[in-house]
Amino acid sequence: MDLGIRGRQAIVCAASKGLGRACAESLAREGCDLTIIARTPGPLEEAAEAIRRAHGVRVTTVAGDVNTEAGRDALLAACPAPDILVTSPGTRQVPGDFRTWDRAEWERWWNEHFYTAVELMRRTAPGMCDRRFGRIVNISVSFIKFPQVGFAHSHSARAGLSAAIASMARELIPHNVTVNSVCPGLFDTEALRVNLHGHAKRGNTTYEAIVADRLRTCPAGRFADPSECGDLVAYLCSAQAGFMTAQNIVNDGGVYQGLF
């Protein structure tokens, strides 16, 4: 299927590796020119060059932290009129004890998992509306449907983002601008492996035992390839997806068992 987005300008956050990199690859395969941001210049430039070679698209890099005002300013200076925006905080979820968190700790997580995406949408959506095309996809997490113990900070922020999107999306859809969230489960990324090693250490067990436990809870019986997230995001950014908005699309191999 031709997704009808060849030549579109796409911003992808946290794109040097993991799910962000997969989203960039999938959009580039469809012919989008990219502006990608990540904190570490080396891996960012390596990802950009690999995408250029593989897909022949223009890739502009911005080395910075999208969770800061300076990072967002630099990103939008490099691509002031995006047609597509894929947001991701680029920050691993780290469990903790809510009894120990002060207001500053809560605000840090809300800044990274809520405010950054909202601010990018605020600054890009008006131009998309003027041009009569816009696709915004936020990389969230499946656990907003069933928040986990130890993750009240990040899961609440991402659930709040979904609520904000549900309001904003209805103002944007008359202008052919959609906003959706993809909610991935267990994807085979470096971030997942680091997290599982952490769980093993805290539980005084082995990494292999933790992996086996996670696979038992997943009806698909495997961790997903990052491309399975990237391709879903690319479809949500397509010309054909203009009637789908304000959705939280769970992509977790059947772990979540609710209807809604």
Side-chain angles (χ1 to χ4, degrees), residues 1-259:
M1 179 188 291
D2 182 347
L3 298 186
I5 51 177
R6 184 168 299 279
R8 294 289 187 184
Q9 304 299 309
I11 286 175
V12 183
C13 299
S16 63
K17 54 189 174 182
L19 298 184
R21 168 74 180 270
C23 293
E25 290 274 4
S26 295
L27 289 169
R29 190 176 300 115
E30 293 299 318
C32 292
D33 292 322
L34 304 176
T35 300
I36 60 177
I37 184 170
R39 295 179 183 86
T40 310
L44 179 65
E45 293 298 336
E46 291 172 10
E49 184 55 32
I51 293 169
R52 293 183 192 109
R53 288 197 307 267
H55 306 293
V57 299
R58 187 175 70 253
V59 183
T60 302
T61 60
V62 178
D65 185 353
V66 75
N67 298 308
T68 66
E69 186 175 0
R72 292 188 291 272
D73 286 346
L75 178 62
L76 295 178
C79 184
D83 305 297
I84 291 166
L85 170 65
V86 180
T87 80
S88 173
T91 305
R92 286 192 305 108
Q93 298 182 105
V94 180
D97 182 349
F98 74 90
R99 300 167 187 84
T100 69
W101 299 335
D102 59 14
R103 184 184 181 94
E105 182 68 2
W106 283 95
E107 289 178 349
R108 179 173 75 86
W109 286 92
W110 273 73
N111 176 63
E112 295 181 356
H113 289 81
F114 175 86
Y115 184 74
T116 290
V118 169
E119 179 65 6
L120 287 173
M121 286 187 281
R122 183 187 71 81
R123 295 176 64 175
T124 59
M128 293 177 178
C129 291
D130 291 343
R131 296 186 297 275
R132 300 291 300 177
F133 183 92
R135 299 288 185 265
I136 301 171
V137 182
N138 300 283
I139 305 299
S140 184
V141 65
S142 62
F143 291 129
I144 64 167
K145 294 280 191 174
F146 52 126
Q148 303 295 292
V149 171
F151 293 91
H153 45 10
S154 61
H155 293 175
S156 64
R158 283 175 153 165
L161 178 60
S162 290
I165 288 168
S167 172
M168 294 185 289
R170 289 166 175 83
E171 296 185 67
L172 300 175
I173 188 65
H175 306 281
N176 191 29
V177 177
T178 66
V179 191
N180 293 287
S181 292
V182 167
C183 304
L186 298 173
F187 276 74
D188 189 13
T189 63
E190 178 184 320
L192 174 65
R193 293 188 289 274
V194 170
N195 278 344
L196 295 185
H197 276 291
H199 283 300
K201 184 176 181 179
R202 287 187 295 274
N204 195 28
T205 185
T206 66
Y207 174 77
E208 291 73 18
I210 289 290
V211 169
D213 178 70
R214 295 301 184 271
L215 292 178
R216 278 193 297 270
T217 67
C218 180
R222 64 182 178 89
F223 297 155
D225 188 273
S227 66
E228 294 176 85
C229 179
D231 289 346
L232 173 58
V233 169
Y235 174 73
L236 291 173
C237 295
S238 71
Q240 293 91 332
F243 205 61
M244 179 180 288
T245 198
Q247 301 304 302
N248 299 291
I249 301 161
V250 175
N251 186 13
D252 73 348
V255 174
Y256 176 64
Q257 297 181 25
L259 287 175

